[in-house]
C-alpha cells in the first residue's frame, strides 16, 4: 500500500472531515478562457516532424490537434522565421531580402494547415524571434525603421492568407527582447490600415514591464490586446491587472516531458489562473521533434525525434493537457469561485453559460511538479477529502462525468486520462477523496475520448549508412530531410547553370548576418546524423561561389549546436577559394590541425572526403589524399555537418556518410 494512501486512511480514522468549496455562478463570472496552446518555433523544434512518413506523421498530428483525441490544443503559436538561431536551429524567413518573398519555405505554414485541418477553430499566433539582416539595416535593432519591420510582419500575415488560406489571429513583437512602444503603435496602425483590425497584438513576450508603460500611455494600452509573459511562476503583477487587458502565459512549461514535466504542466494549467488570472497558457515547445542532444532535448508535450524509424512517444503531458482542453473551449468563462485547496493543490471551474460545467482539480506535490523555470517555492500537499457544493445554474445537476490521472512516482505505474464511473451529485453536492499527484476533471461534457493509434515502430538510431543527392524536382519542403540548420539556411536549389551532374543541389542562401536572437556562429552550419557517432567516412561535393574569400567545410564529431553553436568543436575540413585548405578542431578555426595548398577556386565542383578513426583524421580531395593523420584528441563523438566560411552562397551535392 502506498505511503500517502496509508496516511490518508489513518487520518480519516482519527477524524477525517471534508473541506467545502462552492461552485456558483450567481455572483457573476470571472475572466473569459482563451485556450491552451503549444509553440512550434524558438527554434526549429518541429524540424524532424515533417520528415516522418505516413501514417505516423498524421498519427502524431492527431495527438496534438484532433479534438477529443489527445491534447486537443486550442492554440498554435509559430515562429515567424528570421534566418537565425533561436534555440535549437534556424527557421527560414519568408523574405531573405527586401526584394523577394517565398511563402513555402520551412514547415510552419504546413503545420498551421494541418492543425486547421483537424480543428478549424484553432487560434493561430505568429511571433518573430529574429529578423533578416536587411530589416535592421545592418544593425542588430529591428526597430530602426518601425514601419519597415511592421510591413515585413504584415507581409507574412498576407502570405499566410493568400498562399495558404490561413487567418492569423494574433501577432507578437520580438520574443524576449527589448520592447519598443513606438513600434507597437506603428504595427497597430499599419495592421488597421491593411484591414487587419481583427488581429490582436500580444506584447511583449517577456516580463510584465510593458504593463506599467501601458498604464501611462492610453494609445499603447489600446494597441495591445493581450499582455503575454513568459514563465510567470503562476503569478501576475498589479499593473497588469489594472490595464484590464487579457493576461496570458504566452510561453511556459519548458520542461522535460517525463512525469515531473507532466506535474509541472498540470499544476500551472490551473494555477496560472488561480494565482495570476492568466486565461491562456502556451507550452514551449509543442513537440520534441529535433535532435535530442540539442538544447532542451526531450522537451515538448510529446516526442517525435526519429523520422527514419517512425517511432514516437505520446508522453504524459499530452494527457495532462486533455484534462482541460477536451472539456472546455475558448469563449467559456472561469467562475469566480475557484482557488487553492486547503491541503494543497488547486481547482478551477468553467462554464459555457449554456448549462455546461467543467471542474479541474490538481494535487501536484512540490518535488513532482517543478518546472525548469522559475524556481518553485516550497509548499505542502497532503491527501484530503473535499466536498463541492453546486449552486446557481448548477444546483440541479445529478451526475457528472469523471476523468482521472495519477502520476505514481512510487510504483511508476501511472494512470493517465482514464474515464471512471460518473460522480453522483446529492442535494447539489459531491465529495471526493484526493491523493497527491492527481488530476480530476468533473464535467457535464460527454465527448471526451482517450484517442489511440496502432503501436508505432520500434526506436532505432539514425542509419549508419546514409546518402542524399538532393535530386527532387518539386520538394514538399524547402529543407532536405534530417539536415538541421544551426546558423544560416540551407535550401533545395535548382542549378540552372548545370543541367548535368549537379542540376539539383543544397544551397546555403543567407549572405548577411541576421538580426539575431542567440549567438549565431560567424560560419553557417547544418548538422545531421547521430550524436554518438565516433568513427566514420563522410563525403560531399562542394561548390564555392564567392571568389577569393569564399570557403566551405565538411565536419565530423561536431559536439555543440543550438545556442552554443559558436563553441562547437569537432573535425572541420575547410576548402577555400584562394587555393588553400585547413583542418581545425573548432568551428571558429582557431585550433588548426593541418593546413596547406589545395589549388581550389570558386565556381568549380570538388569532392571532399573526411575520414575520422580513433585519434586520427585524414582528408581527400577528388578522391586523392590531401592531408593525413591529423591528431584529434577531442571531442570523442558528435554529428556530421556541412557549412560555409561566412554568410555566403555555396552549394553541396551527393552527401554520403558511413559510420563504423
Amino acid at each position: 500500500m502506498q505511503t500517502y494512501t496509508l496516511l490518508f486512511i489513518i487520518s480519516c480514522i482519527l477524524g477525517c472531515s471534508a473541506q467545502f468549496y462552492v461552485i456558483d455562478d450567481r455572483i457573476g463570472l470571472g475572466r473569459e478562457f482563451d485556450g491552451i496552446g503549444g509553440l512550434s518555433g524558438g527554434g526549429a523544434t518541429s524540424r524532424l516532424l515533417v520528415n516522418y512518413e505516413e501514417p505516423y506523421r498524421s498519427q502524431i498530428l492527431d495527438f496534438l490537434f484532433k479534438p477529443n483525441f489527445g491534447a486537443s490544443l486550442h492554440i498554435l503559436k509559430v515562429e515567424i522565421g528570421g534566418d537565425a538561431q533561436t534555440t535549437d536551429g534556424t527557421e527560414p524567413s519568408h523574405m531573405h531580402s527586401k526584394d523577394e518573398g517565398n511563402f513555402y519555405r520551412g514547415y510552419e505554414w504546413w503545420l498551421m494547415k494541418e492543425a486547421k485541418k483537424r480543428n478549424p477553430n484553432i487560434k493561430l499566433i505568429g511571433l518573430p524571434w529574429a529578423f533578416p539582416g536587411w530589416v535592421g539595416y545592418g544593425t542588430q535593432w529591428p526597430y530602426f525603421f518601425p514601419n519597415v519591420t511592421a510591413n515585413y510582419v504584415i507581409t507574412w500575415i498576407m502570405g499566410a492568407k493568400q498562399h495558404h488560406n490561413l487567418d492569423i489571429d494574433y501577432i507578437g513583437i520580438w520574443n524576449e527582447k527589448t520592447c519598443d512602444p513606438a513600434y507597437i503603435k506603428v504595427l497597430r496602425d499599419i495592421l488597421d490600415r491593411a484591414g487587419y483590425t481583427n488581429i490582436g497584438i500580444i506584447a511583449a513576450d517577456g516580463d510584465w514591464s510593458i504593463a506599467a508603460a501601458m498604464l501611462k500611455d492610453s494609445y499603447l494600452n489600446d494597441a495591445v490586446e493581450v499582455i503575454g509573459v513568459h514563465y510567470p511562476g503562476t503569478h501576475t503583477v498589479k499593473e497588469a491587472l489594472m490595464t484590464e487587458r487579457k493576461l496570458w502565459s504566452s510561453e511556459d512549461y519548458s520542461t522535460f516531458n517525463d512525469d515531473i514535466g507532466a506535474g509541472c504542466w498540470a499544476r500551472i494549467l490551473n494555477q496560472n489562473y488561480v494565482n495570476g488570472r492568466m486565461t491562456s497558457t502556451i507550452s514551449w515547445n509543442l513537440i520534441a521533434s529535433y535532435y535530442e542532444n540539442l538544447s532542451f532535448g526531450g522537451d515538448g508535450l510529446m516526442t517525435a525525434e526519429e523520422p527514419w524509424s517512425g517511432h514516437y512517444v505520446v508522453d504524459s503531458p499530452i494527457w495532462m493537457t486533455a484534462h482541460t482542453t477536451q472539456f472546455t473551449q475558448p469563449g467559456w468563462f472561469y467562475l469566480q469561485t475557484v482557488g487553492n485547496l486547503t491541503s494543497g493543490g488547486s481547482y478551477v471551474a468553467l462554464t459555457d453559460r449554456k448549462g455546461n460545467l467543467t471542474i479541474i482539480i490538481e494535487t501536484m506535490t512540490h518535488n513532482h511538479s517543478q518546472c525548469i523555470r522559475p524556481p518553485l517555492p516550497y509548499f505542502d500537499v497532503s491527501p484530503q477529502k473535499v466536498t463541492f457544493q453546486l449552486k446557481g445554474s448548477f444546483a440541479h445537476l445529478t451526475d457528472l462525468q469523471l476523468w482521472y490521472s495519477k502520476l505514481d512516482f512510487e510504483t511508476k505505474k501511472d494512470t493517465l486520462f482514464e474515464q471512471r464511473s460518473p460522480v453522483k451529485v446529492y442535494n447539489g453536492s459531491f465529495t471526493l477523496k484526493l491523493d497527491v499527484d492527481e488530476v480530476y476533471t468533473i464535467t457535464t461534457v460527454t465527448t471526451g475520448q482517450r484517442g489511440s493509434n496502432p503501436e508505432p515502430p520500434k526506436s532505432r538510431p539514425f542509419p549508419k549508412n546514409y546518402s542524399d543527392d538532393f535530386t527532387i524536382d518539386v520538394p514538399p519542403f524547402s529543407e532536405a530531410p534530417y539536415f538541421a540548420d544551426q546558423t544560416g539556411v540551407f535550401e533545395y536549389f535548382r542549378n540552372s547553370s548545370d543541367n548535368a551532374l549537379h542540376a539539383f543541389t543544397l544551397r546555403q542562401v543567407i549572405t548577411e548576418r541576421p538580426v539575431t536572437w542567440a549567438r549565431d556562429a560567424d560560419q553557417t552550419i547544418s548538422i545531421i546524423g547521430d550524436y554518438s557517432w565516433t568513427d566514420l567516412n563522410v563525403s560531399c561535393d562542394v561548390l564555392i561561389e564567392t571568389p577569393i574569400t569564399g570557403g566551405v567545410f565538411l565536419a565530423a564529431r561536431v559536439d555543440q549546436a543550438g545556442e552554443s553553436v559558436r563553441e562547437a568543436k569537432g573535425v572541420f575540413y575547410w576548402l577555400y577559394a584562394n587555393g588553400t585548405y585547413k583542418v581545425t578542431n573548432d568551428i571558429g578555426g582557431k585550433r588548426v590541425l593541418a593546413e596547406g595548398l589545395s589549388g581550389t577556386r570558386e565556381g568549380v565542383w570538388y569532392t571532399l572526403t573526411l575520414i575520422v578513426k580513433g585519434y586520427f583524421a585524414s582528408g581527400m580531395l577528388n578522391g586523392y589524399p590531401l592531408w593525413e593523420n591529423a591528431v584529434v584528441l577531442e571531442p570523442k563523438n558528435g554529428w556530421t555537418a556541412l557549412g560555409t566560411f561566412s554568410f555566403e552562397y555555396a552549394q553541396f551535392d551527393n552527401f554520403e556518410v558511413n559510420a563504423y
Side-chain angles (χ1 to χ4, degrees):
M1 184 178 296
Q2 297 178 34
T3 302
Y4 283 121
T5 304
L6 181 60
L7 287 173
F8 184 82
I9 293 172
I10 293 172
S11 66
C12 285
I13 291 172
L14 294 174
C16 183
S17 59
Q19 300 293 329
F20 283 85
Y21 305 93
V22 175
I23 303 296
D24 193 351
D25 60 352
R26 293 177 303 178
I27 58 174
L29 300 174
R31 292 188 169 225
E32 183 177 351
F33 175 63
D34 293 309
I36 306 302
L39 202 171
S40 173
T45 53
S46 303
R47 173 64 192 92
L48 296 176
L49 175 59
V50 298
N51 298 138
Y52 271 81
E53 294 182 359
E54 295 295 351
Y56 311 117
R57 191 170 70 179
S58 288
Q59 292 172 3
I60 294 164
L61 292 165
D62 284 350
F63 278 116
L64 294 171
F65 302 117
K66 186 177 179 180
N68 301 313
F69 191 84
S72 306
L73 292 171
H74 304 133
I75 297 170
L76 173 60
K77 181 177 179 179
V78 303
E79 176 177 350
I80 300 176
D83 295 337
Q85 171 63 240
T86 55
T87 298
D88 292 292
T90 68
E91 298 203 28
S93 170
H94 58 289
M95 295 178 70
H96 293 323
S97 70
K98 63 182 177 180
D99 300 319
E100 65 92 52
N102 184 324
F103 300 94
Y104 293 90
R105 292 190 182 112
Y107 37 83
E108 303 296 5
W109 314 105
W110 165 84
L111 185 61
M112 287 188 284
K113 287 189 289 187
E114 291 294 325
K116 278 284 188 182
K117 185 189 302 181
R118 288 160 175 81
N119 178 8
N121 296 319
I122 197 167
K123 300 295 184 182
L124 301 177
I125 304 172
L127 173 66
W129 267 249
F131 300 86
W134 65 268
V135 173
Y137 282 77
T139 73
Q140 286 292 299
W141 187 245
Y143 308 136
F144 195 69
F145 291 113
N147 60 317
V148 171
T149 305
N151 281 312
Y152 164 78
V153 170
I154 288 172
T155 301
W156 182 85
I157 295 170
M158 294 172 63
K161 182 63 175 178
Q162 293 174 2
H163 295 272
H164 303 285
N165 197 30
L166 293 168
D167 293 306
I168 304 302
D169 297 285
Y170 296 94
I171 204 75
I173 307 304
W174 187 14
N175 184 76
E176 295 177 354
K177 294 294 186 179
T178 302
C179 171
D180 187 327
Y183 168 71
I184 294 173
K185 289 184 277 190
V186 168
L187 177 62
R188 179 73 271 165
D189 182 60
I190 293 179
L191 281 168
D192 291 346
R193 285 194 281 126
Y196 295 118
T197 56
N198 59 316
I199 295 179
I201 290 178
I202 303 174
D205 281 296
D207 59 24
W208 292 111
S209 60
I210 191 173
M214 290 168 63
L215 292 176
K216 297 176 183 177
D217 185 337
S218 60
Y219 191 87
L220 177 63
N221 196 67
D222 290 342
V224 174
E225 182 174 327
V226 178
I227 299 179
V229 67
H230 290 192
Y231 310 101
T234 77
H235 294 282
T236 187
V237 297
K238 64 178 182 180
E239 291 86 357
L241 292 167
M242 291 169 62
T243 64
E244 299 183 350
R245 293 292 164 200
K246 292 176 180 288
L247 309 180
W248 289 10
S249 181
S250 54
E251 183 179 319
D252 216 326
Y253 174 69
S254 186
T255 301
F256 305 117
N257 51 26
D258 54 16
D259 277 1
I260 290 179
C264 153
W265 186 233
R267 177 176 55 80
I268 64 177
L269 284 181
N270 264 22
Q271 294 189 21
N272 275 345
Y273 186 77
V274 170
N275 300 332
R277 293 301 183 260
M278 287 167 274
T279 55
S280 177
T281 299
I282 299 174
S283 166
W284 188 89
N285 51 65
L286 172 71
I287 183 168
S289 199
Y290 45 100
Y291 288 115
E292 187 171 357
N293 294 96
L294 288 166
S295 306
F296 301 98
D299 208 318
L301 299 178
M302 64 178 289
T303 303
E305 58 190 16
E306 292 186 18
W308 48 86
S309 71
H311 180 72
Y312 63 87
V313 181
V314 184
D315 296 290
S316 46
I318 287 287
W319 304 115
M320 299 301 104
T321 314
H323 271 283
T324 297
T325 53
Q326 289 202 24
F327 308 102
T328 61
Q329 290 298 323
W332 284 43
F333 280 80
Y334 287 96
L335 299 183
Q336 291 196 33
T337 48
V338 301
N340 293 297
L341 299 172
T342 303
S343 297
S346 65
Y347 70 99
V348 293
L350 301 97
T351 180
D352 63 355
R353 298 189 293 178
K354 299 175 183 177
N356 280 311
L357 171 68
T358 292
I359 304 168
I360 305 118
I361 304 166
E362 60 80 21
T363 60
M364 295 299 139
T365 54
H366 177 274
N367 291 346
H368 296 159
S369 66
Q370 295 183 74
C371 306
I372 286 180
R373 54 183 179 262
L376 182 62
Y378 188 77
F379 57 85
D380 284 314
V381 181
S382 58
Q384 56 197 298
K385 185 159 66 171
V386 297
T387 295
F388 286 91
Q389 182 72 46
L390 306 183
K391 295 187 176 182
S393 300
F394 317 116
H396 69 284
L397 297 174
T398 57
D399 60 85
L400 295 163
Q401 303 298 308
L402 172 61
W403 290 80
Y404 171 78
S405 291
K406 168 76 172 181
L407 299 173
D408 198 321
F409 290 87
E410 292 186 9
T411 68
K412 308 300 182 184
K413 295 179 180 179
D414 294 344
T415 301
L416 295 173
F417 200 60
E418 179 180 276
Q419 186 172 19
R420 295 196 162 176
S421 299
V423 172
K424 296 299 181 183
V425 182
Y426 299 99
N427 297 320
S429 69
F430 64 91
T431 299
L432 298 172
K433 292 181 179 180
L434 309 179
D435 203 346
V436 297
D437 298 322
E438 294 181 331
V439 181
Y440 293 77
T441 298
I442 301 99
T443 180
T444 57
V445 177
T446 60
T447 53
Q449 294 184 55
R450 193 182 196 279
S452 65
N453 283 315
E455 193 73 17
K458 298 292 186 183
S459 173
R460 57 181 172 84
F462 193 97
K464 288 187 175 182
N465 303 307
Y466 181 76
S467 63
D468 194 340
D469 62 7
F470 311 114
T471 301
I472 180 167
D473 198 9
V474 184
F477 299 101
S478 59
E479 297 150 302
Y482 312 149
F483 280 92
D485 304 346
Q486 301 300 309
T487 297
V489 172
F490 296 74
E491 297 179 349
Y492 279 118
F493 182 64
R494 179 67 171 89
N495 194 346
S496 58
S497 63
D498 188 334
N499 291 316
L501 295 177
H502 302 288
F504 298 93
T505 67
L506 190 69
R507 191 188 199 200
Q508 201 296 120
V509 297
I510 304 305
T511 58
E512 66 175 320
R513 175 170 288 277
V515 178
T516 59
W517 185 81
R519 296 185 70 236
D520 294 47
D522 294 324
Q523 307 75 21
T524 74
I525 176 172
S526 188
I527 62 170
I528 187 172
D530 191 324
Y531 188 79
S532 68
W533 281 347
T534 56
D535 298 342
L536 52 79
N537 290 9
V538 58
S539 65
C540 191
D541 297 344
V542 299
L543 178 73
I544 305 168
E545 297 190 48
T546 302
I548 310 300
T549 60
V552 298
F553 70 79
L554 190 61
R557 294 187 186 175
V558 177
D559 71 340
Q560 297 285 333
E563 296 172 273
S564 303
V565 67
R566 282 182 79 89
E567 284 72 49
K569 297 188 295 294
V571 184
F572 292 82
Y573 176 12
W574 304 83
L575 206 64
Y576 300 106
N578 65 2
T580 65
Y581 77 90
K582 185 184 290 186
V583 184
T584 68
N585 205 191
D586 62 326
I587 193 172
K590 296 179 181 178
R591 300 171 62 178
V592 179
L593 304 178
E595 58 185 334
L597 297 176
S598 61
T600 52
R601 60 185 176 86
E602 82 283 353
V604 177
W605 281 97
Y606 300 99
T607 300
L608 289 181
T609 304
L610 173 62
I611 306 105
V612 183
K613 188 172 184 180
Y615 293 108
F616 298 98
S618 302
M620 295 192 292
L621 179 62
N622 291 339
Y624 294 95
L626 183 62
W627 52 276
E628 294 182 303
N629 296 325
V631 177
V632 182
L633 299 179
E634 60 171 358
K636 305 296 184 185
N637 55 275
W639 298 287
T640 58
L642 45 79
T644 64
F645 176 67
S646 64
F647 290 96
E648 61 184 282
Y649 290 123
Q651 294 179 54
F652 304 85
D653 201 2
N654 298 318
F655 175 86
E656 182 175 359
V657 60
N658 295 285
Y660 308 144

